[in-house]
Amino acid sequence: MQPQPLPAWLEQAFLWLNYPVARYWLLAWLGLAGAAGLAVSAGATGSPRWWQRPWVFAVAVILALAACRWPTWFIQDELNPDESFLLAGAITLRHYPVHWKAVDTMTAGPLDAYALTGASLLGLPLNFFGARVLTLLLQAGALLATRAALRRLVAEPVARLGVLGPLVFWGLTSHHDFIHYSSELVSLLLLALAGWLLAAGLAIDASHPRPSAGRLFLTGFFLGLVPFAKLQGVPPAAALGLIGLVALFRHRRQTGLAPCGWFLAGALAAPGLAIALIAAAGQAGEAWHAYILNNLWYVKTAPASAGPLARLLELVNFVPAFRAFWWGSLGCVLVLSGPAWRRAAPAQRALLGAGWILLGAATIAVLGPGRLLPHYLEFLVLPLGFLLAIHLQAAAPRLAAGPFSSAQGVFLPALFLALAVAPQVVSRLRNHHIYAGQFAHFRYEHPPSQAAYYIRQQARPGDTLAMWGWRPQLYVETGLPQGTREAQTERQLSLDPVVQAYYLGRYLRDLREQAPAWFVDAVGPASLGYQNRSQHGHETLPELARYIAGHYEFQIEIEHQRIYRRRPGTSP
């Protein structure tokens, strides 16, 4: 895989920032300090007018994330297997746009792959560089949508503080599960946008005596899209939807029930439209088996483990950066909870309760699959920042006048920085950042896959590739679309005979109908999880072995990957 092309001046700038590594850290710390300065000083008396503008803070958030994360964009290797898997699906959808007919993203929803495909139509390349830039944009979008939601509920200074902790976490972490393109990111943006529109739609005052029907419809619509990004996101989406319905119902004497109707109409329109499109494409059965039932099977086959609390503690403590963010932010919430509850008006108490419900629903989403995967923790990042912001507002209503306008305005921002931000900075200083100062190594010295190079040299326009085993990175390296619906064959190698029979039969049908030009058996050291050919090679399944032997010619074995090419003139 060739390095992402860059203008010469930009390449030289990155090289200059890369080494000595102090230059990288200076830029990163300045970016975070700028965003923190805009957050802490929001509303301060005497600050320049432009300093308070929302777009200035939005630009600062994006620049701070970019200043911290840019070295990871140029790593020419997957940071997580899911990254290659979703990219493979996006590459395929660019040529064959019907999900579940051309692509099956397994437990990830179709929107995760379509987001990458859509970004490619706007100019982002379908490679690791493009995926990681999109990761940053999705996280930044979710942060800014959360700030916009908070701005409707709390004072502007508090709204900015609410997203500062998550910003510092996403900026400083170097753990791969929080910086790669994961299947949680589209859900996070949809949830944040729905929260913003709900808060805006509920804004009722003398000038707006009725909630905005359009905003409420879009709120429901975005919530209704969440299951098609990741079923795991349903608990927080359901919680946010229930909170919205309760809030609208409480205003029924003033506004009537029409706002509830608009909200529900949006929530039904999204899945209704999606189901209609799936049915029109003739993929309803595949969607049911490959998405709904497969997600249930995924939960059912989770390994036995400890209770929910023990699993949550193990997960939040696994990554040092998340541990510092979680315990620091949660500790600040607990310190503020007493004064916040005592000083809160009834409406604020309801908001505090809603914040805890959202965090609880996000926790259910994290623990629901029964697996200890750190990228599930993405669901907790923004709810915790939101919860902290509403506790800050309730405990210190004078913060609305600015951070330095009273004793509260000095003490509580200082408490926030000491508990929610400082532990993250200390954690970053104590733990090695494996990507800082490594731009040149990852860009120039990371050897390209020889298997991918061989296929690229031989491939013709219109060729597709079928994979056996688990190495979807080959699709990213070659740029070839999938010749079967899956980019890896976990379910075809399942020990569950019912699951294996269904997906192996479908795999063989895809081979016959799509006739991919290339077949690669990646079982071996390069394959994730399937390394023993005597147990998992394609020859262990007689019908598949006969088909490959009759329709493909062995070309070469490179890096323990056996490469086959379709025999000319063979019929399906």
Side-chain angles (χ1 to χ4, degrees):
M1 184 165 51
Q2 297 301 313
Q4 175 64 30
L6 291 174
W9 67 268
L10 186 57
E11 184 135 3
Q12 289 303 312
F14 281 135
L15 284 169
W16 186 84
L17 287 169
N18 174 71
Y19 189 82
V21 73
R23 290 174 182 164
Y24 162 78
W25 282 117
L26 178 62
L27 182 65
W29 291 121
L30 283 175
L32 289 173
L38 286 168
V40 172
S41 65
T45 304
S47 61
R49 201 168 179 184
W50 64 268
W51 189 259
Q52 311 298 331
R53 297 188 184 278
W55 70 265
V56 175
F57 184 68
V59 170
V61 166
I62 296 171
L63 290 179
L65 276 177
C68 293
R69 295 268 284 277
W70 67 266
T72 67
W73 299 346
F74 301 99
I75 302 169
Q76 299 183 71
D77 201 354
E78 61 186 19
L79 297 176
N80 182 291
D82 291 352
E83 193 171 41
S84 294
F85 180 74
L86 292 171
L87 273 168
I91 291 168
T92 308
L93 290 171
R94 182 75 186 260
H95 297 82
Y96 312 102
V98 181
H99 197 277
W100 286 305
K101 182 177 182 181
V103 170
D104 178 356
T105 47
M106 298 176 68
T107 58
L111 292 181
D112 298 324
Y114 278 127
L116 284 164
T117 304
S120 76
L121 297 176
L122 297 176
L124 275 181
L126 279 173
N127 56 19
F128 295 126
F129 174 86
R132 288 170 200 149
V133 171
L134 182 58
T135 296
L136 182 144
L137 294 176
L138 290 171
Q139 289 173 333
L143 283 169
L144 296 174
T146 302
R147 186 212 65 86
L150 283 167
R151 192 164 173 252
R152 300 282 184 164
L153 303 170
V154 300
E156 175 65 22
V158 182
R160 295 186 181 190
L161 290 177
V163 298
L164 182 58
L167 169 64
V168 172
F169 167 68
W170 274 332
L172 292 182
T173 184
S174 59
H175 192 278
H176 57 271
D177 268 7
F178 301 106
I179 58 180
H180 79 281
Y181 185 81
S182 71
S183 57
E184 291 79 19
L185 296 173
V186 175
S187 296
L188 294 187
L189 181 60
L190 290 172
L191 290 167
L193 289 172
W196 171 26
L197 290 167
L198 178 61
L202 287 171
I204 303 173
D205 52 32
S207 59
H208 299 88
R210 297 179 65 84
S212 166
R215 288 171 177 169
L216 292 177
F217 181 88
L218 284 176
T219 300
F221 193 84
F222 284 139
L223 291 177
L225 286 177
V226 169
F228 299 92
K230 194 170 180 70
L231 282 178
Q232 196 177 350
V234 168
L240 185 57
L242 182 61
I243 289 167
L245 278 176
V246 170
L248 291 169
F249 189 76
R250 290 179 64 183
H251 288 97
R252 67 190 182 280
R253 292 184 179 178
Q254 180 182 350
T255 64
L257 292 176
C260 293
W262 283 109
F263 182 88
L264 290 171
L268 293 173
L273 177 62
I275 291 170
L277 290 173
I278 292 167
Q283 300 304 308
E286 287 296 341
W288 174 255
H289 279 93
Y291 193 47
I292 305 300
L293 295 183
N294 182 61
N295 268 280
L296 294 174
W297 175 77
Y298 185 75
V299 173
K300 179 183 175 182
T301 56
S305 59
L309 180 59
R311 283 188 284 132
L312 179 64
L313 291 174
E314 184 176 350
L315 256 181
V316 300
N317 289 313
F318 182 73
V319 179
F322 191 86
R323 180 171 65 235
F325 163 70
W326 172 262
W327 292 116
S329 298
L330 188 61
C332 194
V333 169
L334 295 176
V335 168
L336 295 171
S337 59
W341 190 258
R342 288 194 302 271
R343 296 171 183 168
Q348 278 186 311
R349 289 187 176 182
L351 184 59
L352 293 174
W356 281 107
I357 289 171
L358 291 175
L359 185 64
T363 304
I364 292 172
V366 170
L367 298 178
R371 287 166 168 80
L372 300 177
L373 299 178
H375 57 84
Y376 291 167
L377 295 171
E378 294 274 38
F379 281 112
L380 295 176
V381 175
L382 293 175
L384 185 53
F386 179 87
L387 185 65
L388 178 49
I390 59 178
H391 275 78
L392 272 171
Q393 178 70 35
R398 294 180 185 177
L399 274 177
F404 306 114
S405 59
S406 64
Q408 280 185 0
V410 174
F411 173 72
L412 285 180
L415 177 70
F416 167 83
L417 291 174
L419 293 180
V421 175
Q424 298 192 66
V425 174
V426 172
S427 175
R428 177 69 280 157
L429 294 174
R430 292 178 59 185
N431 293 281
H432 176 60
H433 194 306
I434 61 175
Y435 304 119
Q438 298 297 313
F439 169 73
H441 168 70
F442 286 116
R443 184 161 177 77
Y444 305 119
E445 299 177 22
H446 191 279
S449 164
Q450 293 302 309
Y453 179 79
Y454 176 85
I455 294 174
R456 283 203 314 271
Q457 292 296 106
Q458 305 291 326
R460 299 171 182 171
D463 280 3
T464 58
L465 168 69
M467 170 73 62
W468 187 260
W470 195 327
R471 199 177 183 276
Q473 182 167 333
L474 198 59
Y475 290 102
V476 185
E477 294 173 334
T478 61
L480 293 182
Q482 296 170 203
T484 60
R485 273 170 261 212
E486 291 109 328
Q488 46 92 342
T489 55
E490 177 188 15
R491 293 176 299 189
Q492 287 81 359
L493 290 165
S494 171
L495 297 177
D496 185 323
V498 176
V499 170
Q500 185 189 47
Y502 179 83
Y503 289 103
L504 180 59
R506 192 179 72 172
Y507 186 85
L508 287 164
R509 288 196 304 274
D510 286 349
L511 287 176
R512 294 186 180 104
E513 293 172 7
Q514 304 303 326
W518 298 90
F519 175 83
V520 176
D521 188 334
V523 173
S527 178
L528 176 67
Y530 303 103
Q531 300 181 346
N532 189 331
R533 289 181 183 173
S534 64
Q535 293 181 353
H536 302 123
H538 75 275
E539 303 93 338
T540 61
L541 298 166
E543 189 175 359
L544 176 61
R546 285 194 299 271
Y547 186 84
I548 298 302
H551 293 77
Y552 288 84
E553 293 178 341
F554 174 74
Q555 302 292 301
I556 192 172
E557 179 170 340
I558 306 176
E559 299 165 335
H560 306 286
Q561 297 166 84
R562 290 179 287 170
I563 300 173
Y564 297 77
R565 192 167 191 172
R566 193 167 185 88
R567 297 180 192 274
T570 54
S571 61

